[in-house]
Amino acid sequence: MIQWKKFPFFDKELVKEEGSQNPNSVIQKLPISCTTSGRGILIIGDTEGFINFFDREFRLSSSFHAYNEMVNQLYQLKERNFLISIGHDEPGANPILKIWNLDKMDKNDVPLCVRAIKIEKMVTITSLVCLEDLSQIAVGLANGEVIAMKGDVFRDKVIKQKTMKHPGESPVTGMGFITKGVPSPVLFVVTTTHVYSYIREQEYCIDEEGGDIGNFVMSDDQTPIIARPDAIYFYNTDGRGPCFGFGGTKNKLLWFRSYLVVVGHEASISSSAGGGSGGTASGNSGIGYLSPSNMASKQTIVNIYDLKNKYLGFTDKFEGVSHIASEWGSIFIFTTDGKLYQLEEKDTQTKLETLFKKNLYSVAIDLAKSQHYDNASIADIYRKYGDHLYTKGDFDNAISQYLCTIGKLEPSYVIRKFLDAQRIHNLTSYLQALHEKNLANEDHTTLLLNCYTKLKDVKKLDQFIKTDSEMNFDVETAIKVCRQAGYYEHALYLSLKHNQHDWYLKILLEDIKDDQKALDYIQTLSFEEADKNMKKYGKMLVSNIPEATTRALMKLCTDYQPVHSAGMFGHHSSAFGHQDNAAANNMIHKVEELKLTTDKAAPEEFIHIFVSQPEWLTKFLEYTIQQGNETPLIYNTLLELYLREDKKGSASNITTTTSSSNSEESSNRLEKAYEFLTSPKSKFDEDHALILAQVHNWKKGILYLYEKLKLYNEIIEYHMENEDFDGLIKSCKKYGDQDPNLWVQVLSYFATHQKNCQNEITEVLTNIDRDNLIPPLLVIQILAQNKYTTLQVIKDYISRRLSQETQQIDKDYQQIKQFAEETDKMRNEINELKTNAKIFQQTKCIACHSPLDLPSIHFLCQHSFHQRCLGDNERECPLCAPANKRLLEIKKAQADSAGQHDQFFKLLESSQDGFSTVSEYFGRVKNTVTNHSQKINTLLSIL
Amino acid sequence: MYAFLFKYIIIGDTGVGKSCLLLQFTDKRFQPVHDLTIGVEFGARMISIDNKPIKLQIWDTAGQESFRSITRSYYRGSAGALLVYDITRRETFNHLTCWLSKYKRKQNNTLQLAPPQNHDNCVPHSNLHLTWISAQCQMRFWADDVDDARAFANSNMTIILIGNKSDLEQKRAVSYEEGAKFAEENGLIFLETSAKTAANVEEAFINTAKKIYEKIQKGDFDIKDETFGIKLGQPSNKVEIGAAPPAQKSGCC
């Protein structure tokens, strides 16, 4: 016989007399006819018409005489404390239905009988069923008739008894109301041959098989259940539902919580093997059934099935079961010999532990779920199950258990267990599930991808990476791992999808080495990104694909806009067809608007990337300059490039046997460089350019720059170094006006020069002479240093100079003489003023030219005035006063300026002849000469 | 609510994976260790064909011979049947003729009265030769007729042949071609499935439903007649029950 697993989930216990080991005597003595239960009491009707109430301790709490004869049926309402009973008051009389209110007692301390209805039919009552509100009561009869009573049993004077089902040959064996999920209550009626349902008194035959008495029960969720010898069938209002093939005759059914309690005789093995089809098992009088003697018929078996979780919760043999009932969470079994057994369900924890001991984890899980355990506890059972399978080596199944723990159990627990190359498949599926539930962290992603790559499961990897629309993993990690494992394509896909430009380019360039693609990609990026990445990867790109990169850079530095946009629109418009052209155009307009605002990259920032590609740098820079995007740095660099190439060119000229084109090229370049240098547009940094020119020894450039920078001395020196006499003279002539000292330098250069350069000296001297730049003595001194210099060279010069000097001296003497005379004259006058009396002989007033009269005033300057003509001012001669005043002012000014050294130096610098200035000052400040003598000495020495 | 309800049954030898197919289809999971089905179990799922919601009511029967008498009563009024064999066990394929003949027999809707026979004839024995089995089957049909007389299936039943456990390629004992040939000869749809990997499981149920739906479109059924295993979706329970005319019940237990 095929059976479910058996578990001892119920404790069987004999209900004993209080304080003794004997069976409960009260119950033992009761001639039980029917039982019911509910609301905390067990109700037993007996053959003597008593209804007995038992409490939890199995004490007879109360008992009353309901009928004179046997109590036939009992029905206890669940929601209200009402008891419905059917019994006989007189033998042979019509049965009476009584409704008792158990909450109200009459004067005899007996529950109040609310209503008593005499059943009109004189047939044995086989079943009784009521709706909770007592609006419908149905009574099933042994003749197959069903009587329905409808109405308000508390108020209606007459309750009409209506025959719902007409009598037939098969008795009614069970009835039940279905009220849940139906518009009106459905009465379910089972006879020994048929199953009917009644909806609003309309009869439907549901099945052509029925059930014996006691073989019908309604489950708590109102599923009718019928036991037949071959199986236990579930029904619904339409007909048969699932069935369970438990063979054997059944006597009684009871629904207890989620269990089905079946009392019956087990079909013997030989008779059930044939399928136990309809009636064979019960009707079979073969050897198989009766051979275990009469014991078999007496011995009944009680099975408690958990139909949902599919196991047998209890099975045991009893000596003839007369009644079963359930209350207080236990099942009570009344045996024919008057004993009462209590079957108490174990608590869930104990049950689970039993299951764990037997390693029946899947059952445990179902059980826990049906007991509404919380997720954490269920996950824990899954974990136990997984552990069990793991230790057994069944990794595939273990992992599927662990999968159910996701979200509750720490993933590392599982991962650690499976972190082994042989179990990588399992680990993969676990990690995959973690990702599906969005519970994966970076490490998990890494691990999963590593698993994929280790398994070389490209398909899965594809699936994971490419079809995963939600971002439930860490993209960067994924890229990293893919890259490490060499799955560049995937890494690329990911980075492209998630706009990880940096990674994308890194992979393209460093791993795949697809420079063109990388460059194309950069050009699709937004300006900022493109700029950034170009700086980063430009060097590599330039060295590999210089031309394309340079072009890209040029673009980037002028009017950059992402390439893809145009391509994308092209694609779109083709996809949409003509209708959407307008839209596409709109978008293009938008892009154009954007274009107006596009930035330009600073070309100088890209110079460094061209480190090994000067030619392309040249092109790039030339382009940027053309575009008018310029900074000194670019010019500097470009210049340097021109020069460097030149250098290289010349170098190759030397090493290889000169090719004319090469030299031509180099000269071309120089030409270009010079053009560039002298171009008024150029904005390079001159000092820098100078250094460059010097470094590259580019004569033309150096000279140009010197000139531009007014570094005439440098030019001279340059020529000197190069012994370029012509150039020297030329430049002296050119710049002599600006800096006469050049000549002196040139002179001394020639003078000290080893070679004989008479002509040059002559030339120089002529120039010096012309402007009288230095005293002849100095010239001679300078020239004396050169032993080659002959008198011939300077003869003309000397004689000319000497004659000029002589003339000058003569002139000076004359002047001195003149001044001396003037001074003498003045001295005499002073002396005269000091010593002789002054005679005023003026007769006329100078002012009014009228003859003088008194009072008159005479000044020492021989001017006389009327006092009146002088007015207030009689201390000065008005004629001489201005001249005197001027003199005084000059004197004062001289004294003042003597202290103003700054001005002195200014004057000294600006004057042609420093000596005369000094002497002039010396004259002015002779009073204070002692204070300044030192300074003056210093000055003189300088001069 | 649904536009149509199709009743399916799953039949085939024990252990071919009938319950697992159902579990995979209804719950999308696979239970490696599945208890033997005792009796008849039930599963349901909504599918959509031609944008119409269709409820599949699937009866999963015990494959064990000893339950045949119980399961047989469920054959009646099925619109579709999934006849399942195990590609790794040759005998389950060999028994197909038995399963199929039973239906054909039932289609005749003949009621023969004969004394009950030993039903143990067709208990699978892997080493039996096919012809021998055929002979056994012949004997069985005669026996079956008694019990199956009332559990007839309608002639319009759509049957799909399913070679299950296609994931166990290395243990294959029945080639795809053989299965396909058998299906063609008997006018069945054919698919190889794996309840474990879920390969073709959806297809098996849905293709069958499509076929039934086509037949409805063609007017092959009187959809009011519930013996075809098709029910029109209706809002109230009462009408559904009312639509089942008592006259359809024939025979008696």
Short mmCIF file of all heavy atoms in Angstrom, two decimals, chain A residues 1 211-216 225-233 244-254 260-267 276 281-282 289 300-301 303 305, chain B residues 70:
data_model
loop_
_atom_site.label_atom_id
_atom_site.label_comp_id
_atom_site.label_asym_id
_atom_site.label_seq_id
_atom_site.Cartn_x
_atom_site.Cartn_y
_atom_site.Cartn_z
N MET A 1 0.85 -1.20 0.00
CA MET A 1 0.00 0.00 0.00
C MET A 1 0.88 1.24 0.00
O MET A 1 1.77 1.38 0.83
CB MET A 1 -0.88 -0.04 1.26
CG MET A 1 -1.97 1.02 1.28
SD MET A 1 -3.20 0.68 0.03
CE MET A 1 -3.74 2.35 -0.29
N GLY A 211 -21.70 8.11 -0.38
CA GLY A 211 -20.85 7.72 0.72
C GLY A 211 -21.67 7.10 1.83
O GLY A 211 -22.85 7.43 1.96
N ASP A 212 -21.05 6.23 2.58
CA ASP A 212 -21.76 5.59 3.68
C ASP A 212 -21.90 6.54 4.84
O ASP A 212 -21.27 7.60 4.87
CB ASP A 212 -21.02 4.31 4.10
CG ASP A 212 -21.21 3.21 3.07
OD1 ASP A 212 -22.26 3.23 2.39
OD2 ASP A 212 -20.29 2.38 2.93
N ILE A 213 -22.68 6.12 5.80
CA ILE A 213 -22.92 6.97 6.96
C ILE A 213 -21.60 7.20 7.69
O ILE A 213 -20.76 6.29 7.81
CB ILE A 213 -24.00 6.33 7.88
CG1 ILE A 213 -24.52 7.34 8.91
CG2 ILE A 213 -23.49 5.08 8.58
CD1 ILE A 213 -25.82 7.95 8.46
N GLY A 214 -21.40 8.41 8.09
CA GLY A 214 -20.15 8.75 8.80
C GLY A 214 -19.00 9.05 7.87
O GLY A 214 -17.93 9.45 8.31
N ASN A 215 -19.24 8.89 6.57
CA ASN A 215 -18.13 9.09 5.64
C ASN A 215 -18.15 10.46 4.96
O ASN A 215 -17.62 10.64 3.89
CB ASN A 215 -18.15 8.01 4.56
CG ASN A 215 -17.60 6.71 5.10
OD1 ASN A 215 -17.19 6.65 6.25
ND2 ASN A 215 -17.61 5.68 4.28
N PHE A 216 -18.84 11.38 5.62
CA PHE A 216 -18.86 12.74 5.05
C PHE A 216 -18.46 13.73 6.14
O PHE A 216 -18.84 13.60 7.30
CB PHE A 216 -20.27 13.07 4.55
CG PHE A 216 -20.41 14.51 4.15
CD1 PHE A 216 -19.98 14.94 2.91
CD2 PHE A 216 -20.95 15.45 5.03
CE1 PHE A 216 -20.10 16.26 2.55
CE2 PHE A 216 -21.06 16.78 4.67
CZ PHE A 216 -20.64 17.18 3.42
N ILE A 225 -16.00 16.66 2.05
CA ILE A 225 -15.08 15.55 1.88
C ILE A 225 -15.88 14.26 2.05
O ILE A 225 -16.62 14.11 3.03
CB ILE A 225 -13.94 15.60 2.91
CG1 ILE A 225 -13.17 16.92 2.79
CG2 ILE A 225 -13.00 14.41 2.75
CD1 ILE A 225 -12.26 17.22 3.95
N ILE A 226 -15.72 13.37 1.09
CA ILE A 226 -16.42 12.10 1.17
C ILE A 226 -15.39 10.98 1.13
O ILE A 226 -14.50 10.98 0.27
CB ILE A 226 -17.41 11.93 0.00
CG1 ILE A 226 -18.48 13.03 0.05
CG2 ILE A 226 -18.07 10.55 0.05
CD1 ILE A 226 -19.39 13.05 -1.16
N ALA A 227 -15.50 10.08 2.10
CA ALA A 227 -14.59 8.94 2.11
C ALA A 227 -15.29 7.76 1.47
O ALA A 227 -16.46 7.50 1.74
CB ALA A 227 -14.19 8.62 3.54
N ARG A 228 -14.56 7.12 0.58
CA ARG A 228 -15.07 5.88 -0.01
C ARG A 228 -14.00 4.83 0.20
O ARG A 228 -12.85 5.16 0.52
CB ARG A 228 -15.35 6.09 -1.50
CG ARG A 228 -16.38 7.17 -1.76
CD ARG A 228 -17.01 7.05 -3.14
NE ARG A 228 -17.93 8.16 -3.32
CZ ARG A 228 -17.66 9.26 -4.05
NH1 ARG A 228 -16.51 9.35 -4.68
NH2 ARG A 228 -18.54 10.21 -4.14
N PRO A 229 -14.34 3.61 -0.01
CA PRO A 229 -13.33 2.58 0.27
C PRO A 229 -12.06 2.74 -0.57
O PRO A 229 -10.98 2.37 -0.12
CB PRO A 229 -14.04 1.28 -0.10
CG PRO A 229 -15.49 1.60 0.07
CD PRO A 229 -15.65 3.02 -0.32
N ASP A 230 -12.19 3.28 -1.76
CA ASP A 230 -10.98 3.39 -2.59
C ASP A 230 -10.17 4.65 -2.31
O ASP A 230 -8.96 4.65 -2.43
CB ASP A 230 -11.36 3.34 -4.08
CG ASP A 230 -12.34 4.42 -4.48
OD1 ASP A 230 -12.95 5.02 -3.57
OD2 ASP A 230 -12.50 4.67 -5.69
N ALA A 231 -10.86 5.70 -1.93
CA ALA A 231 -10.12 6.95 -1.76
C ALA A 231 -10.96 7.95 -0.97
O ALA A 231 -12.14 7.70 -0.70
CB ALA A 231 -9.76 7.54 -3.12
N ILE A 232 -10.33 9.04 -0.68
CA ILE A 232 -11.04 10.15 -0.04
C ILE A 232 -11.15 11.25 -1.08
O ILE A 232 -10.13 11.69 -1.65
CB ILE A 232 -10.29 10.62 1.21
CG1 ILE A 232 -10.45 9.57 2.31
CG2 ILE A 232 -10.83 11.97 1.69
CD1 ILE A 232 -9.52 9.73 3.45
N TYR A 233 -12.36 11.66 -1.34
CA TYR A 233 -12.60 12.63 -2.41
C TYR A 233 -12.95 13.98 -1.86
O TYR A 233 -13.75 14.10 -0.93
CB TYR A 233 -13.74 12.15 -3.32
CG TYR A 233 -13.40 10.92 -4.12
CD1 TYR A 233 -13.57 9.65 -3.59
CD2 TYR A 233 -12.90 11.03 -5.40
CE1 TYR A 233 -13.26 8.52 -4.31
CE2 TYR A 233 -12.59 9.90 -6.15
CZ TYR A 233 -12.77 8.65 -5.60
OH TYR A 233 -12.45 7.54 -6.33
N PHE A 244 -7.56 11.47 -2.72
CA PHE A 244 -6.38 10.81 -2.15
C PHE A 244 -6.71 9.34 -2.02
O PHE A 244 -7.70 8.97 -1.41
CB PHE A 244 -6.04 11.40 -0.79
CG PHE A 244 -5.64 12.84 -0.89
CD1 PHE A 244 -6.56 13.86 -0.69
CD2 PHE A 244 -4.34 13.17 -1.21
CE1 PHE A 244 -6.19 15.18 -0.81
CE2 PHE A 244 -3.97 14.51 -1.33
CZ PHE A 244 -4.89 15.50 -1.14
N GLY A 245 -5.86 8.55 -2.62
CA GLY A 245 -6.17 7.13 -2.71
C GLY A 245 -5.84 6.33 -1.48
O GLY A 245 -5.02 5.41 -1.52
N PHE A 246 -6.47 6.65 -0.37
CA PHE A 246 -6.27 5.84 0.83
C PHE A 246 -7.33 4.75 0.83
O PHE A 246 -8.52 5.02 0.99
CB PHE A 246 -6.41 6.68 2.10
CG PHE A 246 -5.56 7.91 2.08
CD1 PHE A 246 -6.11 9.17 2.28
CD2 PHE A 246 -4.19 7.81 1.85
CE1 PHE A 246 -5.33 10.28 2.25
CE2 PHE A 246 -3.40 8.94 1.83
CZ PHE A 246 -3.97 10.18 2.02
N GLY A 247 -6.86 3.55 0.64
CA GLY A 247 -7.81 2.44 0.56
C GLY A 247 -8.34 2.05 1.93
O GLY A 247 -7.84 2.47 2.97
N GLY A 248 -9.37 1.23 1.91
CA GLY A 248 -9.94 0.71 3.16
C GLY A 248 -11.29 1.32 3.47
O GLY A 248 -11.57 2.44 3.05
N THR A 249 -12.10 0.58 4.20
CA THR A 249 -13.40 1.12 4.56
C THR A 249 -13.22 2.16 5.65
O THR A 249 -12.31 2.07 6.48
CB THR A 249 -14.34 0.03 5.07
OG1 THR A 249 -13.66 -0.68 6.10
CG2 THR A 249 -14.75 -0.92 3.97
N LYS A 250 -14.09 3.16 5.61
CA LYS A 250 -13.99 4.21 6.60
C LYS A 250 -15.29 4.27 7.38
O LYS A 250 -16.38 4.11 6.82
CB LYS A 250 -13.75 5.58 5.92
CG LYS A 250 -12.34 5.77 5.40
CD LYS A 250 -12.22 5.40 3.95
CE LYS A 250 -10.80 5.61 3.44
NZ LYS A 250 -10.65 5.02 2.11
N ASN A 251 -15.17 4.49 8.65
CA ASN A 251 -16.35 4.58 9.50
C ASN A 251 -16.72 6.01 9.84
O ASN A 251 -17.89 6.37 9.84
CB ASN A 251 -16.12 3.83 10.81
CG ASN A 251 -15.89 2.37 10.57
OD1 ASN A 251 -16.32 1.84 9.55
ND2 ASN A 251 -15.20 1.72 11.49
N LYS A 252 -15.69 6.76 10.17
CA LYS A 252 -15.97 8.11 10.62
C LYS A 252 -14.91 9.07 10.08
O LYS A 252 -13.75 8.69 9.89
CB LYS A 252 -15.94 8.17 12.17
CG LYS A 252 -17.16 7.51 12.79
CD LYS A 252 -17.15 7.66 14.27
CE LYS A 252 -18.15 6.73 14.93
NZ LYS A 252 -19.39 6.55 14.21
N LEU A 253 -15.35 10.28 9.86
CA LEU A 253 -14.42 11.33 9.44
C LEU A 253 -14.56 12.49 10.41
O LEU A 253 -15.64 12.75 10.94
CB LEU A 253 -14.77 11.85 8.05
CG LEU A 253 -14.55 10.96 6.84
CD1 LEU A 253 -14.87 11.73 5.57
CD2 LEU A 253 -13.13 10.45 6.78
N LEU A 254 -13.46 13.16 10.64
CA LEU A 254 -13.51 14.37 11.48
C LEU A 254 -12.49 15.35 10.93
O LEU A 254 -11.37 14.97 10.56
CB LEU A 254 -13.17 14.02 12.93
CG LEU A 254 -13.14 15.20 13.91
CD1 LEU A 254 -14.55 15.66 14.23
CD2 LEU A 254 -12.40 14.82 15.19
N LEU A 260 -7.30 15.77 8.57
CA LEU A 260 -8.48 14.95 8.38
C LEU A 260 -8.28 13.69 9.22
O LEU A 260 -7.30 12.96 9.04
CB LEU A 260 -8.64 14.58 6.90
CG LEU A 260 -9.85 13.71 6.61
CD1 LEU A 260 -11.14 14.51 6.82
CD2 LEU A 260 -9.80 13.19 5.18
N VAL A 261 -9.20 13.49 10.15
CA VAL A 261 -9.12 12.30 11.00
C VAL A 261 -10.02 11.23 10.37
O VAL A 261 -11.20 11.49 10.12
CB VAL A 261 -9.57 12.62 12.43
CG1 VAL A 261 -9.36 11.41 13.34
CG2 VAL A 261 -8.84 13.85 12.96
N VAL A 262 -9.44 10.09 10.08
CA VAL A 262 -10.20 9.03 9.43
C VAL A 262 -10.20 7.80 10.35
O VAL A 262 -9.13 7.32 10.75
CB VAL A 262 -9.58 8.67 8.06
CG1 VAL A 262 -10.39 7.54 7.41
CG2 VAL A 262 -9.53 9.88 7.17
N VAL A 263 -11.38 7.36 10.67
CA VAL A 263 -11.49 6.13 11.45
C VAL A 263 -11.97 5.05 10.49
O VAL A 263 -12.97 5.25 9.79
CB VAL A 263 -12.50 6.31 12.60
CG1 VAL A 263 -12.60 5.03 13.44
CG2 VAL A 263 -12.11 7.49 13.46
N GLY A 264 -11.27 3.96 10.44
CA GLY A 264 -11.71 2.93 9.51
C GLY A 264 -10.91 1.67 9.64
O GLY A 264 -10.09 1.50 10.57
N HIS A 265 -11.15 0.79 8.73
CA HIS A 265 -10.39 -0.45 8.66
C HIS A 265 -9.48 -0.34 7.45
O HIS A 265 -9.94 0.00 6.37
CB HIS A 265 -11.33 -1.65 8.48
CG HIS A 265 -12.36 -1.74 9.55
ND1 HIS A 265 -12.11 -2.30 10.78
CD2 HIS A 265 -13.65 -1.32 9.59
CE1 HIS A 265 -13.20 -2.24 11.53
NE2 HIS A 265 -14.15 -1.63 10.83
N GLU A 266 -8.30 -0.66 7.68
CA GLU A 266 -7.37 -0.56 6.56
C GLU A 266 -7.63 -1.70 5.59
O GLU A 266 -7.86 -2.82 5.98
CB GLU A 266 -5.93 -0.63 7.05
CG GLU A 266 -4.95 -0.25 5.98
CD GLU A 266 -3.64 0.26 6.58
OE1 GLU A 266 -3.56 0.41 7.80
OE2 GLU A 266 -2.73 0.49 5.81
N ALA A 267 -7.58 -1.32 4.31
CA ALA A 267 -7.77 -2.35 3.30
C ALA A 267 -6.59 -3.29 3.37
O ALA A 267 -5.45 -2.85 3.46
CB ALA A 267 -7.86 -1.71 1.93
N GLY A 276 -8.80 -1.38 -5.36
CA GLY A 276 -9.85 -1.10 -4.37
C GLY A 276 -11.02 -0.41 -4.99
O GLY A 276 -11.60 0.49 -4.41
N ALA A 281 -13.50 -3.63 -2.03
CA ALA A 281 -12.82 -3.82 -0.76
C ALA A 281 -13.81 -4.16 0.35
O ALA A 281 -13.57 -5.05 1.16
CB ALA A 281 -12.04 -2.57 -0.40
N SER A 282 -14.87 -3.42 0.38
CA SER A 282 -15.83 -3.65 1.45
C SER A 282 -16.62 -4.94 1.21
O SER A 282 -16.89 -5.69 2.13
CB SER A 282 -16.78 -2.47 1.59
OG SER A 282 -17.43 -2.26 0.35
N TYR A 289 -9.05 -10.34 3.34
CA TYR A 289 -9.66 -9.42 4.27
C TYR A 289 -9.98 -10.07 5.61
O TYR A 289 -9.75 -9.49 6.66
CB TYR A 289 -10.94 -8.86 3.66
CG TYR A 289 -11.47 -7.68 4.43
CD1 TYR A 289 -10.76 -6.50 4.51
CD2 TYR A 289 -12.68 -7.81 5.12
CE1 TYR A 289 -11.24 -5.46 5.25
CE2 TYR A 289 -13.16 -6.76 5.85
CZ TYR A 289 -12.44 -5.58 5.92
OH TYR A 289 -12.93 -4.55 6.63
N THR A 300 -10.06 -1.08 14.80
CA THR A 300 -10.16 0.04 13.87
C THR A 300 -8.89 0.85 13.94
O THR A 300 -8.19 0.86 14.96
CB THR A 300 -11.36 0.93 14.23
OG1 THR A 300 -11.35 1.15 15.62
CG2 THR A 300 -12.66 0.30 13.83
N ILE A 301 -8.66 1.49 12.86
CA ILE A 301 -7.43 2.29 12.77
C ILE A 301 -7.81 3.76 12.67
O ILE A 301 -8.75 4.12 11.94
CB ILE A 301 -6.60 1.88 11.54
CG1 ILE A 301 -6.06 0.47 11.76
CG2 ILE A 301 -5.48 2.85 11.27
CD1 ILE A 301 -5.36 -0.10 10.57
N ASN A 303 -6.37 7.23 11.53
CA ASN A 303 -5.30 7.92 10.81
C ASN A 303 -5.58 9.41 10.81
O ASN A 303 -6.73 9.83 10.60
CB ASN A 303 -5.23 7.46 9.35
CG ASN A 303 -4.66 6.06 9.23
OD1 ASN A 303 -3.76 5.69 9.98
ND2 ASN A 303 -5.21 5.29 8.30
N TYR A 305 -4.48 12.60 8.81
CA TYR A 305 -3.75 13.03 7.62
C TYR A 305 -3.62 14.55 7.61
O TYR A 305 -4.59 15.26 7.88
CB TYR A 305 -4.49 12.63 6.34
CG TYR A 305 -4.65 11.15 6.15
CD1 TYR A 305 -5.86 10.52 6.44
CD2 TYR A 305 -3.60 10.39 5.65
CE1 TYR A 305 -6.01 9.16 6.24
CE2 TYR A 305 -3.76 9.02 5.45
CZ TYR A 305 -4.95 8.41 5.74
OH TYR A 305 -5.10 7.08 5.55
N ILE B 70 -9.23 4.93 -9.49
CA ILE B 70 -9.60 6.25 -8.97
C ILE B 70 -9.42 7.30 -10.05
O ILE B 70 -10.30 8.11 -10.31
CB ILE B 70 -8.71 6.61 -7.76
CG1 ILE B 70 -8.84 5.57 -6.67
CG2 ILE B 70 -9.07 7.99 -7.25
CD1 ILE B 70 -7.80 5.71 -5.59
#
